[in-house]
Structures are given as C-alpha cells and as structure tokens.
Amino acid sequence: MMRALSEPVPPAEGAQPGRRLRWLLLWLLLAFQLPALLLFGVAIWLAMDSEQAALGQRLMAQTVALSHRVNARAVTVQGALQRLAQQLPSDGQDLRDFQRAASALARDLDVDAIVLVRANGQTLAHAPLPTGGAEALRTVPPAFTEVARTGRADVVDATTWSEREGPVVGIGVPVARASGETLALQAVLELPRLTPLLEAGLLPAHWQAAIVDNAGRYLALTAGPLGPTGGPVKAALQERLAREAFGTFRSADIGDPPMTVSYWTAPATHWTAVVAVPARGFTLPAWRTVLTLGVPMGLVIAAGLAGAWLVRRRLTAALNGMRAATEAAEAGRRRGEQRLEGMLQAAPIATLLIDETHRVRSFNPAARALFGHAPEQILGRSLEPLFTPLSWRDCQEDIAAVLRGTVRGPDGVTSGHCVRLGGDVFPAEFSVAPIPRADGERLLSVTVRDVTEREEFQASLLAAHHEVQEVSQRFERMLLREMDARQEQIGRELHDAVGSAVAGVSMLLEAAAARRNDPALVGALLEKSREQVQVVAERLRQLSRGIVPAGSEAGALRQALEQYLLDAAALMGIECTLRTRGDFSDVGAESAGHVYRVVQEAVTNAVRHGQARRIAVHLARAGALCGLTVRDDGKGCDLSLVHPSHPGMGLKSMQARARALRGRLALRNRRSGGCEVVLRWSEPPEEL
C-alpha cells in the first residue's frame, strides 16, 4: 500500500477527475483509520501491561526488602550471641557476670530475653531474670533445646511459653563447652518485636505486609484481610510456600477480595516475607493510562491522515537503521563469544562450559589434560561420566542452585571425586557459575581443581604429627628411666660411701663414751671421728655437684667448671684441663646451668664410652658469640648416635640444652683420635 502511494493511478474511463479524487481520499481515510485503531488498541495493551509489570516489580522489591530486613535481624542477633558465647565461663564457675552481660545484650538487641539451656531442657541462665524466679528458670519450650541437640544455629518458630502471655520466637546459636557438652544460647522475642520490620508507614495505601514462620503462621502482620497475628496462612499461600521459596500469585479465596500476593523466604531464618496488594490496584493505573492515552491517540490518528505520505520514507529509514543495529549487535555477539572462548582456553584451571541439560559445549586445555578426554569424546555429551555418582549428585544440586540464582555452601565450592579417562578416581573441588549471553541462552561454567597433592600433604602432616608425638612419648619414657637410674646410683653412693663412714663415726663415739675415764684415748677417738666427718662432708659435696651444678648462680660459670674438672680428675683418675678466653662473669644463671650440664655429660660419655684418659675443655667468647669445645683422647664416638631417632639419653639431653640456648651442638671424631663436642650459642643482649 505504501508503494501505491508513490505510483501514478491511471484515470478510469468516463470518470471525472474530481470524483475519482474524492473516492480515493475516502478509501485512503478508511485504510488509515483501521491501522490507527489497531495501534491504539496495541498501545493500550502495552501501557496496561507495562503498568502491571512495574507494579509487580515494585511489589516484589518490597517483598525482597522485607525478607532482607528479617534475614539481617536474625544474622545480627546470631552474631551478637556468638560473641556473648565467648564470655561463657568454664564448667562449675559462677554465671553472674555472664548473666549481667546477657542482660545488657538483651537491652542492646531489643529482645525480650536471652536464655542458656541444655539439650535436656535444663536452663542455666536467663537474662533478665524471669518474674517467676528460680521456678520459671526450669520451664522452657522444648523447641529452644533443638539448637543444643543439632549443634547448628537456627531459629525457633512461634511457640508458647508459660512465662510470656503471647507466642514467642527464638534465634539461637550452639555453644560448645570444654567438657564436650553443647548448649543452646537463645534470644527470645515476643511477636510484637517483629512488627517494626514491616515498616508499615512506608507501604502504599491498601498494601499489606506480613512475616510467616516455617509452620505457616503469621509472626507479624499489618492491618488487612490476610488474617490475625499468630494465625495460619491461607491455603493458597500455604501451598505455594510448600513448593518454592519465592514467587507471585493471585489469590481469590471465598469471602475475601482478590489480591496479588508476593512472597520471599529468608535464607538465614527460613521465614517468609509476604506483601499483598488488592487486585484492583493493578487495574486502576492501567485504566488511567487508557484515558491519558485517549486524547494523544486521537491526535495521532488525525495526524496520521496528514502524514501518511511520510510513512514510507520514515519506515525505510527505520528499517535501514534496524538492519544496521542488528548487524552491529551480531558482530558484538560474535566478538563476545570469541573473547569468552579465548579466556576459557587461557584459563589455568580446568573449566567446562555446559548448557542447562548438562551437555558440554566447550572445555579448555587444562580440562583436557586433567580428564584425558579428546574433544570428540566429550563435546555434546553429558558431564556425568566425569564425576563419581555421589559427586555428580552434588554437582547437579550446584547447577540447580545456580539456575535458581543461589549458591550452595559458604563459598560456592564443593568437594568430591572426579574420574579420569581409564577410570582413575581423584579428589577434586568444583564450582558452578553462570555465563551471561547476549542471545539469552543460559550457559554455565564448571571449574574443577585436582586436590590430590593437598590431601597427600595434609596426610603427611598428620603422619609427621603422630611421629613427633611418638618420639616425644619415647623420649619422656627414656627420661623417666634415666632419672630412676640416677636416683638409684645416688642411693648406692650414699649407702656405700656415706653410710659406712657414718657407722664408723657412731662406733668411735660409742667407744669414746665407754672410755670417758681415759682422756688421752677419748681425744684420739674424737680426732678420728672428726676426720671421718670431714670425709663424709667431702663425699657429700662431691655427690651434690652431680645433682645441683655449682654454676647455678649468675657469673659463676668459669669457677664452677674449674671445680667440676678438679673433682672429676680426682674421682675418675683422669687428666682434665680448662682454658678460657673472654669474660664470662655476666653469663646468666640459666645459660650457665645448661653449659655446665653439657660439659658434665660430655666428660661422662668420654670416660664411660670412650675410655678417655685426658680431657681438654675450651671456653671462648667474642662479644655476644660464645663457644664451648670438649676434646678427649678416647676411642671416638659413633656418629649414628646423633640421629634424633636414636634412644641415647645423654645426646638428647645435650641437644635439648643447645636448643634452650638457641645455639647449635656438633659431635665429630678427631683425626688424631678421640671425640670432640662443640657448642655455639649467643648470649641475649638483655642478659649481657
């Protein structure tokens, strides 16, 4: 028809030009009126649909905002309860400070009470104290103990409590005690506490908001036809809540005005936010739009008659513009797909692109190297063969969650097992993410990471920990045996060296008492008794040096080593020398005790195991650096004894003392014969 406007019309025979023109204008008018009327109807339909869509989006936005407020309230209370749980004293301690902290927190959180209960229902704390006193402490709803039994943070739906007049809800967290018992710390709220979350003053007129618990009862409700607070929801809403977590539907229960209801379930509390608007609220704006469009549309129809000759030109330009825009959009889509494919191929982690039917559309070289499949073996096929049955079920749940717009788990990563080509099963972590597309097709990316090395490393760490525990226990048993042997040796020496001498002194004194009339003989006997007492004292002094180092006082290291080497030479019949270079007068008592014990152990080992006859001890110092060298002329030492797993008690003792000094201990054989023990350490500045 538009082409006919630009083409000449041949005149009909016997017809007057003016008459033909009038008929032509009449037909043109009729021809243009019909499209104008159709356009008017389409505009009205689009306007009504746009108004209803905008109102639906606004309704859902109000529902989501209410759900977020409910979720944030629960998360805030749970976080505060977890911080309060850290102040819980150990078993058997007084709970009054915890009670005061709980009372203060109840005021800050604007909750009615905070209670601490056992899994068996016994109440340990109640803040603030109930009006019924201690008797009320023993009465708590059974639902409040569910957190203690499951060990998971949760909310308690509306329930009755004899302490409160109306229904209450609870927000609780588990509290694990050192004894292994799990308690429940519950924040108790009466239903009116939830009413401010509705923000009724911000809702448009005739709109109604509500909060529904898991049992399908209203926890908070603005004025309207939905129902009473604490009562059950209508059957239509109950059926919707049982099937899905969010949505919008039209409710027309008998006896109630039709309403459009939107609902959204909060993830933390599993409570549902509900916002309802009367059905007429969707139609009145649309009719106002019809009246508003009526006048302009009439003008458009009139203007269309005058501007019909512009349609072809405008339509052609519009088509050309649409063609150019379509070509540009197609080119942009191709560039986006090429960029996505390039990013996929360059990704270092195994990544596969799948569609909503779980079929593989593309995968990168990292995925090919991980699973071993060629492109023709996996492209267009299901993702299922790459996972074990249990892990494939988890992967399907992740895919379903992403398609719903949610994420499973705290970080979206799931642990499981995957299967390589050939049947090799390996531990892995996988995650699913959506891939936006301009053409509206929904693609998903599945990334898989092989965690075999990490699990092997964790297993090796656990084995090393067990080995360290075993070595430590073996070392403690050896230490106890060595201590028992040392005590037995000291007992024998006291009995052999001191006991007989004391018995001799006793006999001399008895003889002197029996001959008290002979002064000369008494004097001789007393002189022999004195000599025996000196021998006993000297022997006790020698024994005490083996038990308590003579250098246990600060600044006495050099003198203690000199005295020890003199005593060792006399007792063991060997030659001992000490040479020092530097000042050791400011060495602390703890460091001096460790060095003294190292020298004592080195000398004992040289005589006992190496049959040494000459021992030389060198002690040197330069600033904070200190060194000790003990050399002997014995048979040498077995270097395998240095291995940490060897049961030698003396070497372990010297190594432990070197570590206490933050130094290093070395044991080696001398070329000229004998063994050499070298200790290097630094004196801390604060001890200098």
Side-chain angles (χ1 to χ4, degrees):
M1 183 179 295
M2 298 303 172
R3 185 180 297 111
L5 289 175
S6 61
E7 295 178 354
V9 178
E13 292 185 359
Q16 298 295 329
R19 185 177 179 182
R20 290 196 300 269
L21 181 59
R22 287 194 298 269
W23 280 104
L24 178 61
L25 292 175
L26 178 61
W27 283 108
L28 286 176
L29 178 62
L30 294 176
F32 277 102
Q33 286 291 345
L34 182 59
L37 291 175
L38 292 176
L39 182 62
F40 178 70
V42 170
I44 292 175
W45 181 82
L46 290 176
M48 294 178 66
D49 184 74
S50 176
E51 285 286 343
Q52 292 184 357
L55 191 58
Q57 292 177 357
R58 185 181 178 189
L59 178 64
M60 180 56 72
Q62 290 282 358
T63 308
V64 173
L66 175 56
S67 178
H68 287 176
R69 289 196 297 272
V70 174
N71 193 67
R73 174 65 166 161
V75 170
T76 300
V77 173
Q78 287 177 343
L81 291 178
Q82 289 174 350
R83 292 190 294 272
L84 176 63
Q86 298 176 0
Q87 305 180 33
L88 182 64
S90 303
D91 295 345
Q93 296 186 3
D94 192 5
L95 294 175
R96 283 179 292 184
D97 291 339
F98 178 81
Q99 186 91 9
R100 286 192 289 270
S103 298
L105 181 61
R107 292 191 298 271
D108 294 339
L109 295 178
D110 193 24
V111 299
D112 294 287
I114 295 178
V115 295
L116 180 67
V117 298
R118 285 195 167 101
N120 60 5
Q122 180 183 1
T123 305
L124 300 180
H126 188 298
L129 286 174
T131 56
E135 184 65 25
L137 285 175
R138 293 194 293 268
T139 60
V140 64
F144 284 2
T145 63
E146 188 65 22
V147 171
R149 288 193 293 268
T150 61
R152 296 192 305 269
D154 203 351
V155 298
V156 176
D157 295 331
T159 183
T160 58
W161 191 5
S162 59
E163 185 188 344
R164 302 288 172 176
E165 294 182 358
V168 296
V169 296
I171 302 175
V173 297
V175 180
R177 310 196 78 174
S179 61
E181 181 185 15
T182 300
L183 307 178
L185 188 60
Q186 290 279 358
V188 182
L189 297 86
E190 294 184 359
L191 298 189
R193 297 280 188 182
L194 301 177
T195 303
L197 296 175
L198 301 176
E199 295 184 356
L202 301 180
L203 293 175
H206 306 296
W207 285 38
Q208 188 176 8
I211 302 173
V212 180
D213 64 6
N214 290 322
R217 292 168 296 192
Y218 289 115
L219 302 180
L221 188 69
T222 58
L226 285 180
T229 301
V233 301
K234 300 295 178 62
L237 178 58
Q238 183 69 32
E239 181 181 358
R240 290 276 183 160
L241 294 179
R243 292 203 311 263
E244 51 195 8
F246 60 92
T248 303
F249 69 100
R250 184 182 178 88
S251 174
D253 291 335
I254 299 176
D256 293 333
M259 301 188 72
T260 300
V261 181
S262 174
Y263 58 94
W264 190 284
T265 303
T269 61
H270 302 291
W271 291 344
T272 303
V274 179
V275 178
V277 60
R280 64 177 183 275
F282 277 76
T283 58
L284 290 178
W287 285 113
R288 286 196 296 268
T289 303
V290 171
L291 296 177
T292 303
L293 289 176
V295 175
M297 190 58 66
L299 295 176
V300 170
I301 293 175
L305 296 175
W309 60 275
L310 296 174
V311 172
R312 182 178 180 181
R313 184 186 303 174
R314 300 284 179 90
L315 183 60
T316 301
L319 290 176
N320 292 336
M322 291 176 61
R323 185 180 300 108
T326 303
E327 292 176 355
E330 181 65 20
R333 185 184 65 82
R334 288 195 298 268
R335 288 195 300 270
E337 290 183 349
Q338 293 173 357
R339 190 183 307 112
L340 177 61
E341 185 66 22
M343 293 173 60
L344 175 65
Q345 297 301 321
I349 303 176
T351 306
L352 304 97
L353 293 185
I354 64 172
D355 56 21
E356 296 182 63
T357 63
H358 307 159
R359 299 192 177 275
V360 179
R361 300 285 292 273
S362 179
F363 66 100
N364 62 354
R368 180 174 182 178
L370 180 62
F371 292 101
H373 290 277
E376 61 273 9
Q377 295 174 317
I378 191 172
L379 290 179
R381 301 178 183 273
S382 174
L383 193 67
E384 181 178 0
L386 303 182
F387 295 85
T388 61
L390 291 178
S391 298
W392 173 240
R393 185 180 63 186
D394 294 337
C395 185
Q396 286 180 306
E397 293 178 358
D398 289 347
I399 293 173
V402 171
L403 292 176
R404 292 195 304 267
T406 60
V407 177
R408 295 178 68 240
D411 52 3
V413 177
T414 304
S415 299
H417 292 82
C418 294
V419 182
R420 291 191 179 93
L421 182 64
D424 183 21
V425 178
F426 61 94
E429 289 181 348
F430 53 87
S431 60
V432 182
I435 300 296
R437 299 236 333 158
D439 56 4
E441 185 181 11
R442 303 184 71 178
L443 293 182
L444 303 170
S445 69
V446 180
T447 58
V448 182
R449 187 188 303 272
D450 188 353
V451 295
T452 302
E453 294 183 357
R454 187 180 69 187
E455 292 194 354
E456 291 177 351
F457 177 71
Q458 292 175 348
S460 63
L461 283 181
L462 182 61
H465 176 68
H466 291 162
E467 182 179 356
V468 169
Q469 286 184 332
E470 182 180 354
V471 171
S472 176
Q473 292 173 359
R474 188 166 61 246
F475 178 78
E476 290 177 356
R477 291 193 297 269
M478 292 165 51
L479 179 63
L480 292 176
R481 287 197 299 268
E482 185 67 17
M483 291 175 61
D484 292 339
R486 292 291 178 89
Q487 290 178 355
E488 184 179 354
Q489 179 184 0
I490 292 171
R492 287 197 304 268
E493 291 182 0
L494 287 174
H495 179 271
D496 296 341
V498 179
S500 59
V502 172
V505 172
S506 177
M507 294 175 63
L508 290 173
L509 293 177
E510 289 178 358
R515 293 170 175 80
R516 64 171 61 93
N517 296 327
D518 188 352
L521 181 58
V522 170
L525 293 174
L526 291 177
E527 181 62 24
K528 288 184 180 181
S529 299
R530 185 184 64 80
E531 293 175 357
Q532 285 293 100
V533 170
Q534 290 179 348
V535 171
V536 172
E538 179 63 20
R539 186 54 180 164
L540 288 175
R541 183 177 62 83
Q542 294 173 354
L543 290 175
S544 66
R545 289 200 185 96
I547 302 173
V548 180
S552 58
E553 298 85 8
L557 176 60
R558 185 176 179 277
Q559 294 82 352
L561 292 179
E562 288 179 348
Q563 186 63 48
Y564 170 71
L565 294 176
L566 289 175
D567 295 340
L571 291 174
M572 302 179 186
I574 60 176
E575 179 183 344
C576 297
T577 60
L578 172 66
R579 289 192 302 170
T580 62
R581 185 175 73 249
D583 183 16
F584 287 86
S585 61
D586 55 355
V587 174
E590 182 179 357
S591 299
H594 290 310
V595 175
Y596 183 92
R597 289 301 190 187
V598 170
V599 173
Q600 187 181 39
E601 190 65 38
V603 171
T604 302
N605 289 342
V607 176
R608 179 184 301 171
H609 303 294
Q611 283 80 46
R613 304 304 302 169
R614 286 190 298 275
I615 296 177
V617 179
H618 300 271
L619 194 63
R621 180 177 183 179
L625 299 178
C626 302
L628 170 70
T629 305
V630 181
R631 299 188 181 97
D632 63 71
D633 62 348
K635 297 187 302 182
C637 56
D638 185 359
L639 295 180
S640 65
L641 299 177
V642 183
H643 195 277
S645 63
H646 193 276
M649 189 64 191
L651 290 176
K652 286 187 176 291
S653 175
M654 288 194 291
Q655 290 172 344
R657 295 187 183 278
R659 288 193 296 269
L661 290 169
R662 296 184 179 88
R664 296 191 303 273
L665 180 75
L667 177 67
R668 52 178 174 261
N669 288 318
R670 302 172 60 198
R671 291 184 179 180
S672 58
C675 183
E676 183 178 66
V677 178
V678 180
L679 174 64
R680 297 286 185 268
W681 82 96
S682 297
E683 275 300 301
E686 59 268 17
E687 293 188 5
L688 294 178

